[in-house]
Amino acid sequence: MTPDQLGSMLDDVEAPEAWYLGDLAECAGKVLARSGNGDLVFVGRSLDSMFDLLGGALDEGRALHRLPVSFRHGPVLHGDVPRVRELLTEAGVTPASLARRDRPVTFVDVVATGGSFTKLFGLLDDWITEERETWPAIRRKLRFVGVTIRRQTSPNVERWQQRAEWTRRLPASSVVNVSLDEDVWHYFGNWQTKLTWPFTLHRWREHLREAKRDERTREALAEAVQLVSLGRTKEVRRMIARGMDGEPALSEPWLRTLQSRLT
């Protein structure tokens, strides 16, 4: 269920307060700035609220996709691979399209240890090899933005990508992070009521995407609708644009144009 498929589900439902709005808008601006001008693909359910906010804020020229998979529990078995590929294809990601597209694909997810991105990259790597597409043409079309918990900065802090060997196969600028307030990170990653059931492996295989319909889910739907509406307002669009301030990519025309459109 998406905010545009409501019917009467929101009758007499009040949206919860978006207490995290400032943090979310700033983080969304930085995700865009560090995306490499890529089309964003949100992995799993954790950043549904960022998807909704940007869906309201951005014009139709910038693609946003969801990849309804979760890699949290257990390995991806051989029998799971065909369904993951179907879901990637629905999000516009195949070896052939990666090799030929002009703009990158930028995967976005909350990150603690990077395990989900590691599994996703492995699936893509195997698929690219199987299809015999040219890796040098693809490696610059793949980007990963991890939304991490904001910690005290220090030159000795180890980032998750330093422990992931696969990241060395991509340009250094293709695997980046955006930090988010710890309480907001946990709300999106662990506490927030989601509209859909968890994207566990059996749900990939069974093609299940039904929405939950309990009272808390109705409130979550109202929250999603509210975020889309907030994203369309000048105030919130400017908040997203301010999140781009100071970003190195502002030296590039694509980001200056995007920031200008938001303001």
Side-chain angles (χ1 to χ4, degrees):
M1 183 69 68
T2 57
D4 59 344
Q5 300 170 317
L6 302 180
S8 60
M9 284 189 68
L10 296 184
D11 290 353
D12 303 319
V13 178
E14 184 176 349
E17 180 185 0
W19 56 272
Y20 48 76
L21 180 60
D23 291 286
L24 177 61
E26 179 185 14
C27 185
K30 293 188 183 305
V31 166
L32 288 169
R34 300 176 192 181
S35 70
N37 198 24
D39 292 325
L40 302 185
V41 177
F42 289 86
V43 181
R45 307 182 304 164
S46 294
L47 291 176
D48 280 355
S49 290
M50 186 179 293
F51 179 94
D52 294 330
L53 192 74
L54 290 177
L58 299 177
D59 58 39
E60 296 180 357
R62 182 161 296 272
L64 299 175
H65 298 281
R66 284 188 172 107
L67 180 62
V69 297
S70 173
F71 297 98
R72 283 187 177 184
H73 304 295
V76 180
L77 303 178
H78 181 73
D80 302 318
V81 171
R83 182 57 180 146
V84 184
R85 291 183 179 180
E86 287 179 19
L87 293 168
L88 282 163
T89 299
E90 290 177 16
V93 181
T94 66
S97 68
L98 285 169
R100 292 159 182 80
R101 63 185 291 125
D102 295 326
R103 283 166 36 172
V105 168
T106 302
F107 293 101
V108 187
D109 194 8
V110 296
V111 170
T113 64
S116 292
F117 277 166
T118 295
K119 292 174 185 176
L120 176 57
F121 181 86
L123 286 162
L124 289 168
D125 189 34
D126 290 344
W127 196 10
I128 291 163
T129 300
E130 185 179 314
E131 295 289 322
R132 298 184 179 179
E133 290 292 348
T134 305
W135 174 247
I138 291 176
R139 68 185 293 269
R140 296 187 180 277
K141 306 293 179 59
L142 281 175
R143 296 181 68 90
F144 295 81
V145 178
V147 176
T148 60
I149 295 174
R150 185 169 295 140
R151 306 290 191 191
Q152 188 171 8
T153 57
S154 167
N156 298 320
V157 171
E158 185 180 47
R159 294 173 174 81
W160 66 269
Q161 64 263 42
Q162 294 173 280
R163 300 189 297 272
E165 291 187 5
W166 63 269
T167 63
R168 301 183 183 94
R169 297 179 56 197
L170 299 173
S173 61
S174 295
V175 183
V176 298
N177 297 315
V178 177
S179 67
L180 185 62
D181 173 82
E182 183 171 6
D183 287 342
V184 180
W185 190 96
H186 280 294
Y187 176 69
F188 293 142
N190 300 315
W191 305 330
Q192 184 184 38
T193 301
K194 305 297 184 181
L195 300 182
T196 54
W197 298 98
F199 299 132
T200 50
L201 291 177
H202 78 280
R203 290 183 177 274
W204 303 357
R205 291 191 293 267
E206 295 174 13
H207 299 226
L208 297 179
R209 289 194 183 180
E210 74 277 14
K212 298 178 289 180
R213 295 184 179 273
D214 57 277
E215 189 61 28
R216 290 188 64 189
T217 303
R218 292 177 72 221
E219 293 176 359
L221 183 58
E223 182 179 17
V225 172
Q226 175 183 238
L227 286 169
V228 174
S229 296
L230 286 168
R232 293 181 177 137
T233 64
K234 288 183 178 180
E235 179 184 1
V236 172
R237 287 164 60 92
R238 287 169 179 165
M239 290 166 64
I240 295 170
R242 285 197 297 271
M244 302 172 181
D245 289 345
E247 289 291 317
L250 277 173
S251 63
E252 301 175 35
W254 70 267
L255 187 58
R256 292 198 302 274
T257 299
L258 178 56
Q259 188 182 52
S260 177
R261 287 177 178 172
L262 287 168
T263 56

